[in-house]
Amino acid sequence: MTDARARNFAFAGRRLLMVEGQAGLSLPDDEGLATALGPASDHATVVDVSLRGRLDGVSRVHDLSGEFVAPTGFALVGLRSAHPHLTDELFGAAATALQKLEWIRSHQYCSRCGKPTDRHPTYEAMACRACGHLQFPRLAPAVIVLIEAGRRVLLARGPGFPEGMYSAIAGFVEPGESLEEAVHREVEEEVGVRVTDLRYFGSQPWPFPHSLMVGFIVRWVGGDIRIDAEEIEDAQWFDADALPSLPSRLSIARSLLEDFLVRVAHPEP
């Protein structure tokens, strides 16, 4: 029996299967999924992953064949494109589902001895059949830093950014490094300035493909902009009244900038 309340997160590669309707895109219920798959149902695998209580009711994750083509009335969309059509709760669940699905897909063999792996019966891990080595889901921490100087912020753009868009400085944390050390290193490497007064802002799971973005606000104390040309296309100071095109509302970078605008408009006494 199908459950119309069920939420199905079905992925072909990294694209999510969604239903096209007059009100936009939505997740398929059981009946909708069965319609979309049709004869291809033999090439869809239900994957047992925990969404950590993100959703009430039934939710299932499906791994579709890479050759799957969405029929009329359905669409395969990337998570960024799906975001405007999902609640925060549903988007968080979809992002969790994709990250865990990608982990399972990419850990079918042991990284220690090369033998096949299976899901561990107790831990959320892939266990080697031969040597017992456990491979847990990957998570790559990264810092994202908003550099402020009064009413100005230092923003940069990478080569792959949309035309005219700038964002906060970001980079991955290296082994043996604290988050604070990563902030200072990334800022110095990418734009060549010195900062102080690190303040934690917040964090965001970032499923592109398996990062955790940790946000900081810092204060500029010296140095002229000197970009790392391999990673940064341009970097500039922008006044609060003349910001460039901003990142998507999906990102913590946008949250950092919106928080900055609120604080500039309503400074503390």
Side-chain angles (χ1 to χ4, degrees):
M1 179 181 297
T2 62
D3 183 350
R5 299 167 300 169
R7 297 169 173 95
N8 290 288
F9 301 94
F11 291 94
R14 293 186 56 82
R15 295 181 298 162
L16 177 65
L17 179 68
M18 301 192 77
V19 181
E20 295 178 326
Q22 292 184 346
L25 300 175
S26 60
L27 293 173
D29 58 18
D30 286 353
E31 183 176 352
L33 181 66
T35 300
L37 296 181
S41 59
D42 291 342
H43 303 288
T45 304
V46 178
V47 182
D48 179 22
V49 300
S50 168
L51 299 183
R52 295 293 185 195
R54 283 188 173 274
L55 295 174
D56 295 327
V58 178
S59 58
R60 303 183 187 91
V61 180
H62 307 262
D63 191 5
L64 305 181
S65 164
E67 292 75 38
F68 177 80
V69 176
T72 301
F74 296 85
L76 288 170
V77 299
L79 279 186
R80 285 187 175 90
S81 299
H83 178 256
H85 304 278
L86 299 172
T87 64
D88 289 345
E89 180 185 47
L90 287 174
F91 179 80
T96 301
L98 179 57
Q99 288 185 78
K100 292 188 176 182
L101 180 57
E102 289 277 76
W103 158 64
I104 293 168
R105 288 169 173 168
S106 59
H107 288 76
Q108 295 295 302
Y109 295 92
C110 179
S111 61
R112 176 182 289 170
C113 71
K115 295 297 192 298
T117 61
D118 296 306
R119 297 292 299 279
H120 192 278
T122 304
Y123 302 122
E124 190 162 40
M126 302 296 288
C128 178
R129 299 176 189 173
C131 70
H133 178 60
L134 299 182
Q135 299 175 118
F136 293 88
R138 291 179 296 168
L139 193 63
V143 293
I144 182 163
V145 189
L146 189 66
I147 305 170
E148 301 181 359
R151 291 181 50 84
R152 300 187 302 159
V153 286
L154 198 165
L155 303 177
R157 57 175 283 109
F161 281 21
E163 184 67 28
M165 192 193 87
Y166 285 71
S167 186
I169 303 301
F172 288 105
V173 180
E174 295 184 351
E177 191 174 51
S178 70
L179 295 174
E180 293 80 5
E181 288 170 335
V183 166
H184 287 288
R185 176 184 54 77
E186 282 292 337
V187 168
E188 197 282 329
E189 287 179 357
E190 295 199 359
V191 291
V193 302
R194 301 186 305 280
V195 297
T196 190
D197 295 343
L198 277 67
R199 287 181 289 152
Y200 172 73
F201 175 78
S203 63
Q204 178 187 38
W206 191 245
F208 305 105
H210 47 75
S211 300
L212 175 67
M213 304 297 293
V214 184
F216 288 89
I217 299 168
V218 301
R219 182 170 60 86
W220 173 82
V221 289
D224 296 324
I225 295 175
R226 185 188 70 254
I227 66 171
D228 176 358
E230 292 187 4
E231 296 191 31
I232 301 296
E233 186 176 88
D234 185 39
Q236 300 180 34
W237 287 103
F238 293 93
D239 187 83
D241 293 328
L243 293 181
S245 176
L246 301 182
S248 163
R249 295 187 183 277
L250 162 65
S251 66
I252 191 172
R254 180 63 171 262
S255 298
L256 279 162
L257 285 161
E258 290 180 345
D259 174 76
F260 165 72
L261 290 175
V262 169
R263 287 186 286 106
V264 167
H266 304 283
E268 296 182 359

